[in-house]
Amino acid sequence: TTTSLGRSQGGSFAVLFAVLLVKLRHNLLVCVRVVNECVKFLEQAYRDLTKVWHPDRFDGGDIRLRQKAEEQIKAINDAYARIQEARQD
């Protein structure tokens, strides 16, 4: 059968399907870019936090600060490990 525009029903479906596939591919690429940017942000945040809370920065000072730094670096490393595990799944 033909539509009022003179195209067959099957032909217009194929064109519509092709357009949808192109849009889906574009949206998927956008999502991949967003995920990659999030990963870069998280990696930079991890590096920044480990520099701030590294226990070696608190040598020779207040023991309470060093203990706090050890707690913080453990929490930071645990969180980063969970992020890495989630990325592998």
Side-chain angles (χ1 to χ4, degrees), residues 42-53:
L42 289 172
E43 288 173 347
Q44 184 61 49
Y46 170 75
R47 285 192 296 273
D48 291 346
L49 287 170
T50 56
K51 288 176 187 173
V52 169
W53 286 106

Side-chain angles (χ1 to χ4, degrees), residues 66-83:
R66 182 166 175 86
Q67 289 172 339
K68 180 69 173 178
E70 289 170 354
E71 293 170 10
Q72 290 294 331
I73 203 73
K74 183 181 181 316
I76 291 164
N77 286 333
D78 289 346
Y80 190 70
R82 280 185 268 147
I83 290 169

Side-chain angles (χ1 to χ4, degrees), residues 6-47:
R7 288 185 247 140
S8 69
Q9 289 282 342
S12 62
F13 176 76
V15 170
L16 178 61
F17 187 71
V19 168
L20 288 174
L21 282 177
V22 168
K23 288 184 177 185
L24 180 63
R25 182 177 182 272
H26 171 75
N27 290 340
L28 181 61
L29 291 174
V30 169
C31 289
V32 167
R33 282 190 211 119
V34 168
V35 167
N36 287 339
E37 288 300 313
C38 288
V39 168
K40 288 179 188 176
F41 175 81
L42 289 172
E43 288 173 347
Q44 184 61 49
Y46 170 75
R47 285 192 296 273

Side-chain angles (χ1 to χ4, degrees), residues 1-12:
T1 57
T2 59
T3 63
S4 60
L5 297 175
R7 288 185 247 140
S8 69
Q9 289 282 342
S12 62

